[in-house]
Amino acid sequence: MFLNTLTPKFYVALTGTSSLISGLILIFEWWYFRKYGTSFIEQVSVSHLRPLLGGVDSSSPSSSSTSNGEADSSRQSVSECKVWRNPLNLFRGAEYNRYTWVTGREPLTYYDMNLSAQDHQTFFTCDSDHLRPADAIMQKAWRERNPQARISAAHEALELEDCATAYILLAEEEATTIMEAERLFKQALKAGEGCYRRSQQLQHHGTQYEAQHRRDTNVLVYIKRRLAMCSRKLGRTREAVKMMRDLCVFQLMKEFPLLSMFNIHENLLESLLELQNYADVQAVLAKYDDISLPKSATICYTAALLKARAVSDKFSPEAASRRGLSTAEMNAVEAIHRAVEFNPHVPKYLLEMKSLILPPEHILKRGDSEAIAYAFFHLQHWKRIEGALNLLHCTWEGTFRMIPYPLEKGHLFYPYPICTETADRELLPMFHEVSVYPKKELPFFILFTAGLCSFTAMLALLTHQFPELMGVFAKAFLSTLFAPLNFIMEKVESILPSSLWHQLTRI
């Protein structure tokens, strides 16, 4: 009788209200997922409902140790999200600007260039710059946002005296070819060596002279490193290797913390790979691939490349599946898994599954920006070794079976930091599709509420358009739904005595 008294308006109101509520839940879930990367309903279920149901014992000592481990991991993740200067960054005038002239696209973001401006002020300025007019001008030039204003200030400083930092700025931003940049860097080297010798003699006369000597050391190392990179780009690789070796020795002799930021050993590794001098590459890795030193994609993937080189030319996945992996092949596969765990974005660029762009001036370790910077310079070295890319193609995805929850627990490294996507979007240009790891899949509750909202909205529309027909369908559906219950009730009535059934109904 209750079902027969319901009018079509009731069904329209019921389905419309259900559609509205599920739609609001869907919008909130989608917003929360886009902002925090997780489902609100799932988070509430795991955080609040599971403890009430006895799923987690908060008083156990293991939980406290786990929380301590998670705190350590979170602190490590914060440190790993630090942005580093790209050791192989290109020249703005001779390379980045040429790309802009040809394509009309800006390869560098404002955030990236702003970080470079801060680096230049740290490397090339000190508190005593006001004592020398040219340095005072350059101190303002490094803070200038307009490129033409910076170049004009550098020329103004050179009119006063031979200023090493002014030559650096012109070589980086005004020179349109590598040869022109090299010529300017050689002039900067001559001026920088003179300043370095003078400040070296006075460094112990006070904190002001010590700061000036530290600045002159940074300038000299920067100039020599860029000159080595010019030699590498112009094909004089052996000359570049010699200069980089000298810089590595100089860096070990000096105890200035800023010198370690240049990561000159990564430039050296790339140049040695170009010479195919794999024994020296292994020697450099033995020194820098240490557990106490910070890792990078260059370190991990170069180590994997050397181990893959020993077996890649004869590697066959069919043969390996039949006879199993040899010790050398197992070492190569483990090295690849280690590299992929450190930076899972690199293989897609090495295997040319994703297009490369010009690398930024700063990179985020374990992020997409570091993967681009590594693959941009090292793809040719992987192609040069026969079978290396084939071995990488066959084995790299096996890494993810060892780390099913990379954001929570790693295998050889700390859990993958969750901040990489945000930082990479700031470092990489808008036209590049940032690689995201792990892939964020839509939570079940978003899909469920989307389906529920769509279904109830469709029911409301059909009930409004065809009220009588939908009423018939609703009654038929409800009668079909309750048919098994009615059948059971009839069976119970036939089995039980009528007097007992009468007493039960009265109760």
Side-chain angles (χ1 to χ4, degrees):
M1 290 176 59
F2 173 73
L3 294 176
N4 290 331
T5 56
L6 295 179
T7 63
K9 291 183 179 180
F10 170 80
Y11 292 107
V12 173
L14 176 65
T15 53
T17 305
S18 302
S19 177
L20 176 63
I21 294 174
S22 57
L24 293 176
I25 295 174
L26 172 63
I27 293 172
F28 175 76
E29 272 282 286
W30 177 254
W31 169 81
Y32 195 88
F33 174 72
R34 293 290 294 175
K35 186 172 183 179
Y36 299 105
T38 184
S39 166
F40 174 77
I41 299 176
E42 289 180 3
Q43 188 177 20
V44 170
S45 302
V46 171
S47 302
H48 302 286
L49 297 183
R50 186 191 293 180
L52 294 177
L53 298 176
V56 177
D57 185 9
S58 59
S59 62
S60 64
S62 61
S63 64
S64 62
S65 63
T66 303
S67 63
N68 291 336
E70 289 177 354
D72 293 339
S73 298
S74 64
R75 286 195 294 269
Q76 179 68 14
S77 297
V78 170
S79 66
E80 285 188 352
C81 287
K82 174 186 174 183
V83 175
W84 298 73
R85 189 162 181 85
N86 182 5
L88 297 168
N89 65 307
L90 305 177
F91 293 86
R92 282 198 192 176
E95 291 171 308
Y96 287 121
N97 286 349
R98 287 173 63 188
Y99 177 85
T100 304
W101 298 336
V102 172
T103 64
R105 291 177 170 181
E106 288 290 344
L108 298 176
T109 63
Y110 174 77
Y111 176 70
D112 192 14
M113 291 189 288
N114 187 48
L115 289 175
S116 296
Q118 295 176 22
D119 291 341
H120 294 153
Q121 292 176 51
T122 303
F123 295 154
F124 306 142
T125 63
C126 67
D127 295 336
S128 62
D129 282 343
H130 64 277
L131 300 176
R132 293 189 292 191
D135 289 338
I137 294 174
M138 289 307 302
Q139 191 176 44
K140 295 179 181 178
W142 293 121
R143 297 172 182 169
E144 183 62 54
R145 292 186 178 182
N146 187 353
Q148 290 302 321
R150 288 197 297 271
I151 293 173
S152 300
H155 284 293
E156 182 182 349
L158 288 175
E159 291 176 359
L160 299 177
E161 60 175 316
D162 264 2
C163 180
T165 53
Y167 284 122
I168 289 175
L169 192 148
L170 295 178
E172 292 284 354
E173 302 192 20
E174 189 181 42
T176 56
T177 63
I178 299 298
M179 294 182 68
E180 186 180 353
E182 184 183 36
R183 178 182 60 81
L184 289 168
F185 273 122
K186 286 181 178 178
Q187 293 178 275
L189 178 63
K190 183 179 179 181
E193 285 178 337
C195 292
Y196 176 78
R197 284 192 296 268
R198 288 192 295 271
S199 62
Q200 189 178 26
Q201 297 172 356
L202 302 173
Q203 61 176 315
H204 301 297
H205 291 190
T207 56
Q208 180 178 332
Y209 293 104
E210 185 180 353
Q212 190 172 343
H213 177 62
R214 188 181 298 112
R215 189 275 309 273
D216 291 339
T217 303
N218 293 334
V219 170
L220 188 63
V221 171
Y222 186 91
I223 294 170
K224 289 185 175 181
R225 172 175 159 271
R226 291 307 253 177
L227 276 173
M229 294 177 69
C230 288
S231 299
R232 168 67 183 90
K233 293 174 185 293
L234 294 173
R236 304 194 304 271
T237 310
R238 294 188 184 278
E239 178 185 338
V241 167
K242 183 180 182 304
M243 297 173 69
M244 291 172 188
R245 286 187 189 277
D246 294 340
L247 282 174
C248 288
V249 173
F250 183 81
Q251 179 178 330
L252 293 174
M253 290 172 58
K254 296 293 181 179
E255 297 182 354
F256 294 149
L258 285 179
L259 296 183
S260 62
M261 295 178 61
F262 291 121
N263 289 326
I264 300 168
H265 61 276
E266 297 195 10
N267 299 81
L268 178 60
L269 283 173
E270 196 278 328
S271 299
L272 289 172
L273 286 172
E274 176 64 21
L275 293 175
Q276 302 182 45
N277 194 342
Y278 298 111
D280 286 353
V281 172
Q282 185 62 58
V284 175
L285 284 178
K287 184 183 299 183
Y288 290 97
D289 192 5
D290 187 82
I291 191 171
S292 62
L293 297 177
K295 298 294 180 291
S296 66
T298 301
I299 294 290
C300 294
Y301 277 90
T302 302
L305 178 62
L306 291 188
K307 292 188 177 180
R309 174 176 169 267
V311 298
S312 60
D313 56 337
K314 299 177 182 177
F315 178 79
S316 170
E318 294 81 10
S321 61
R322 287 196 306 270
R323 59 173 170 78
L325 294 174
S326 64
T327 304
E329 289 173 340
M330 184 64 70
N331 291 336
V333 171
E334 289 176 355
I336 289 175
H337 287 174
R338 171 179 178 259
V340 174
E341 182 184 354
F342 182 82
N343 193 318
H345 309 283
V346 173
K348 287 189 176 181
Y349 293 107
L350 292 179
L351 298 172
E352 298 181 274
M353 300 166 63
K354 196 172 181 184
S355 58
L356 276 171
I357 61 171
L358 293 185
E361 293 183 338
H362 289 80
I363 59 173
L364 182 68
K365 288 192 175 183
R366 307 188 74 178
D368 192 31
S369 52
E370 184 191 34
I372 292 171
Y374 173 80
F376 186 86
F377 293 99
H378 287 261
L379 176 58
Q380 56 180 332
H381 307 315
W382 281 80
K383 286 184 174 181
R384 187 179 292 123
I385 296 177
E386 182 182 357
L389 289 175
N390 177 49
L391 179 60
L392 177 69
H393 174 72
C394 296
T395 57
W396 74 279
E397 291 182 327
T399 310
F400 307 127
R401 289 193 290 270
M402 299 187 299
I403 43 174
Y405 305 104
L407 298 179
E408 301 172 10
K409 184 179 180 181
H411 180 60
L412 296 174
F413 299 99
Y414 282 93
Y416 190 80
I418 61 176
C419 60
T420 54
E421 180 184 357
T422 304
D424 279 332
R425 291 190 187 280
E426 295 285 340
L427 290 171
L428 298 172
M430 291 293 294
F431 58 82
H432 173 72
E433 182 183 354
V434 175
S435 178
V436 179
Y437 174 80
K439 276 289 185 182
K440 290 183 179 178
E441 298 181 358
L442 287 178
F444 165 76
F445 287 103
I446 289 185
L447 300 175
F448 176 76
T449 51
L452 181 64
C453 176
S454 304
F455 179 70
T456 52
M458 182 182 66
L459 284 182
L461 179 63
L462 291 175
T463 306
H464 180 72
Q465 293 294 328
F466 311 102
E468 296 180 357
L469 183 61
M470 291 303 294
V472 173
F473 278 131
K475 292 175 183 178
F477 174 75
L478 292 175
S479 60
T480 305
L481 184 65
F482 288 108
L485 182 61
N486 294 331
F487 177 77
I488 294 172
M489 294 296 293
E490 291 175 0
K491 287 295 183 182
V492 171
E493 288 179 359
S494 62
I495 294 173
L496 294 178
S498 58
S499 59
L500 177 61
W501 182 251
H502 179 67
Q503 294 295 330
L504 290 174
T505 54
R506 288 183 63 185
I507 294 174

